[in-house]
Amino acid sequence: MSVTEQYLENEFNKAPLLKRLGLFDWIWAVLVLAGSLVAYNQYSSLMDSYEVGILFGTTAGLVLFGWLWKPMRSFSLVVAAISLSAVALYGTDLSRNETSFFLKFLISSQSAIMWMSALYVMATLAYWFALASGSAFSGRVASALTWSASTMGSVGLMVRWRESYLISHDVGHIPVSNLYEVFILFAIITALLYLHYERRYNNRAMGAFALTVISGAVGFLLWYTFERGAHEIQPLVPALQSYWMKIHVPANFVGYGAFALAAMLGLAYLLVERNPKGLLARRLPSLEQLDDIMYKAIALGFAFFTVATVLGAMWAAEAWGGYWSWDPKETWALIVWLNYAAWLHLRMTKGWRGGPLAWWAIVGLFVTLFAFVGVNMFLSGLHSYGQL
Amino acid sequence: MNLAITLLVAIAIASVIGTVLQQNEPYNNYVMKFGPYWFEVFKSLGLFDIYGAPWFLFLLGFLLVSTSVCVYRNTPSIIKDMRHFRLDVQAKSLRAFRHKDEWAVAAAPADTAADLAKRLKEQGYRLRIKQRDDGVVLAAMKGSVSRLGYLLSHVAIVVICVGGLIDGNLPLKLAEMRGEIQAETRDIPVSQIPPQSMLPADSSSFRGSVNIPEGGRANFLFIGLRDGYLVQKLPFSIELEDFRIEHYSSGMPKSFESTILIHDEDLEEPLRRDIAVNHPLIYKGYAIYQASFSDGGSKLKLKSWSLDMPQQEPLDIDTSVNSQVRLTTPRGDYNLEVSDFKLFNIFPASENDPSGKKFHNYGPSVIYRLRAANGEAREYVNYMTPVMLDGRSFFLSGMRMSQAEDYRFLHVPLDADGGVDRFMAFLAMVRDEARVREKVRRQLTSEMGITQEDPLYEQLTGSIVGLVTTFVNDGVDAIVAQTEKTIQEEKRSDALAYYIKTIQGVLGSFYVDLLRQEGVDISAGVNDSDAAYFDDALNALSQLAPYGAPMYIKLQEFEHIEASGLQITKAPGQNIVYLGCVMLILGVFFMFYLHHRRLWLFISDQENGSMVLFAAAGHRDRSDFDKEFSFLQHDLRRRSGAI
Ligand code: HEM
């Protein structure tokens, strides 16, 4: 990346945030707020005070997020628009997803998620092609595909949320309650994180790596759907019926997503290091930059994972009667956390850089994967929701 | 610092073991899994309660100490680093910096300094200016809070460990080592628990559970320790006034909640509260959680028919879940241990279920064990209401030897007045060998014209009676086995068909007698339903042998009593831990999202203007700092009007 004076100007010569906001920023804020207010007076009767808090916390968070990362604005608005039209098409009749053309083939949660899967896979191919051929165009196509895949995925989750309530009121819940649903969340979050770095370092070669892990997740998702019928919306066991789920799970998946991304960048780093003159070396960011992005991803992941684990403990204290029970999922969260704590120490206090840390980040992905999937597959405990 | 990293990794690895190996199970489960030798080895390593194992606690303690030490060692320098601007730097040491620049400007040092100071303030820098005889020194820094992040996050680790230690069951373990307390392993009423397994009401912290039946009351709870438990007294008592549970159509619990009354002399009247999953009650620092539910000793009225002497009047048994009844039978004494009662049993319905429903409710069931004198037991499940199978109703009773097996079912057909009396009467007839012999004799003469005088008479009688009794006592499989023993391959199927026909002949005529006794009019032959009944009865007959119980038990009436499983904890360390968590989160974000940077401007006088020496140092992530530096470089040069 060339350090132009212009770049430095907007990077560092920053007026305070509020001074930097444009018209769209304010329209965005108003729309988000309006949306939340509508949601509030539609559903406040169903929400406890914490959930109201979460609603407006999310509002503020989303507005700010959109201000700090501009693409978020149009992304969210598109997702909202499509989701709302799906909700409108449904009305109060779930069986519409058989009769209405749009629901059946595009934006019922199940179709939307299938579209997401297809688009992510196409994006992966496009990124690899762009990487191999160096065609800037197919690079842009790949980004576009990734954006639309993430859009469809988010729509899928939003609509699924609604569908769960259409099934019946007591079945309704936010779709982050089992392995199937969080896998979608994982794909989306990882993609968005990547897209953020793609823009910040304006380099698309990293996409080939980031999207590969996402395609892996998609592969699992499809197997899980068709082999196990995991896409069926299941009602919640009592322990999961809590506002905590709305914050604990998403926080966790920012962590998982960031760790996965870091691992793929680690892989890229090792490949470049192995062949410094090769194609990858020419297309990917410099080793130092890769190392730096990897660090940023892990730092982000670690921060959010810390929050998530703490939230988990607080939830456990409320649901199971103890903030720590050495339940397998809990314990594996701790293991993941300790692992990255060690990683950060190596980097920050021992000044490690590059190769060894890249390897460590890749191993870290497997540790994370086990905490995320393995525990549900092989271990039983208080936490055994969404068994395979 | 290697120490810290080693510790973090070591604890991570140790923790893995505890997740792979189920913790704190009854010891004999482990013995079965690993065999006595490895059981002992693992036990001595504390692998069955690893998070309480001395060596694991030692690791944690070590983390605690080393973190404290490291915080203690680092704090002074970090504080200093945050506060001192280092106005006394020498120009030549600034020139040695990695990030530095030098340029001449027209303005006088003082003005330049003032001007640049203003600019840096805009950029969010804190700064000091010092007029030295060799020139003006301007020292600035930004983001020093990130250094605080390090302190916060590490102190947090200590705080969290301390909080956890307060709430952990370490004291119990120590007391146990000192032999002051001892885990109880027998299953005995609380009143008989020996004092060394009792914990006083003033224990500072604990986590235990207790099941209270509706209307019941408890002022104690159980704390699992190793393969046993301890009884923790409470300073107040809890009464379960009401327990409510709702289910989804799949039978999965949707919500369950209890209305409890707290009886405490400090309260002038009992405190009434509802608790549910995720909605505990905190009383005097004791947190009371809705954890689970179970049967609270439902009262059951059972009827028991002896299968060995079906002619006997059935026996009425009044019992309840979790209690035992002694039963004397011709096969010796049996213990009837009722282990559970289910108000309903919901199973997924078959695809082509006429009702079109997704799920089918099989109604109430009772689960009990029949334990013979020699101690071996079979488990039975009996459904109270009849079940329809291709158009005919049966009472189902399942049997299995162990939890691992599936139930094998006995189908007792319902008679005209919806009971089992006809079946028992029929059984009584056919189990009576004398009667069978009598009947066979008569049939031989009447139907085959074979009389006493006939040489074959006795032999035939003997073998037919043999067939019938074998079938009646050991079921059709025994007949098959017999043919396989006595008859060669090719003739077998014919022989078998013939045997069955003979048996049906004999039993059929008993059945006809039975119908006559009941006063059924069979002048026009046996109607379809009675005919069907006969087939079902024979079926049931041959299921009796594997069923293996000396009696058939039917659930007549019940009074459902539920028990609410409460978990009660006292965790004075909890808020300490939460404090630590907040510190940790703040610390981590400070560390990662604020960067400590310092910079110096040394402005020395020179003819018609001054010389600006600019140097900067950033804490960590260089590549970003390079960019920031080159920005400042451009910016300050421009601002000061570099020549
Ligand atoms: C158990 C959880 C721990 C976490 C999450 C953690 C996290 C961190 C992080 C992220 C840093 C970088 C901060 C910076 O460089 O400014 C750091 C630095 C450091 N950690 Fe830890 N740490 C932990 C435990 C420990 C332990 C047990 C020790 C000592 C035995 C320790 C000693 C240090 C030291 C000396 C530094 C360097 C301070 C500095 O760079 O200014 N840490 N720690």
Side-chain angles (χ1 to χ4, degrees), chain A residues 290-370:
Chain A
L290 279 173
D291 175 75
D292 187 50
I293 306 173
M294 181 169 68
Y295 158 70
K296 288 205 165 70
I298 285 186
L300 179 78
F302 186 77
F304 272 85
F305 200 73
T306 310
V307 175
T309 313
V310 170
L311 291 174
M314 291 177 156
W315 186 4
E318 200 164 297
W320 303 334
Y323 52 82
W324 198 262
S325 320
W326 293 106
D327 157 82
K329 197 81 172 184
E330 259 174 13
T331 312
W332 271 95
L334 178 69
I335 293 166
V336 169
W337 189 79
L338 290 171
N339 174 56
Y340 287 104
W343 193 96
L344 288 162
H345 275 85
L346 284 173
R347 183 181 169 102
M348 293 176 149
T349 69
K350 305 217 51 75
W352 282 28
R353 291 287 185 279
L357 285 184
W359 275 113
W360 195 309
I362 293 172
V363 174
L365 176 60
F366 288 95
V367 179
T368 309
L369 263 181
F370 193 86

Side-chain angles (χ1 to χ4, degrees), chain B residues 21-33:
Chain B
L21 180 58
Q22 287 272 339
Q23 297 290 292
N24 294 309
E25 283 188 4
Y27 274 6
N28 41 4
N29 291 15
Y30 293 120
V31 178
M32 273 190 281
K33 224 183 276 162

Side-chain angles (χ1 to χ4, degrees), chain B residues 103-113 602-613 643:
Chain B
W103 65 87
V105 297
D111 311 344
T112 316
F602 177 74
I603 307 164
S604 51
D605 200 353
Q606 69 174 26
E607 72 286 358
N608 57 52
S610 44
M611 198 66 194
V612 177
L613 168 57
I643 303 162

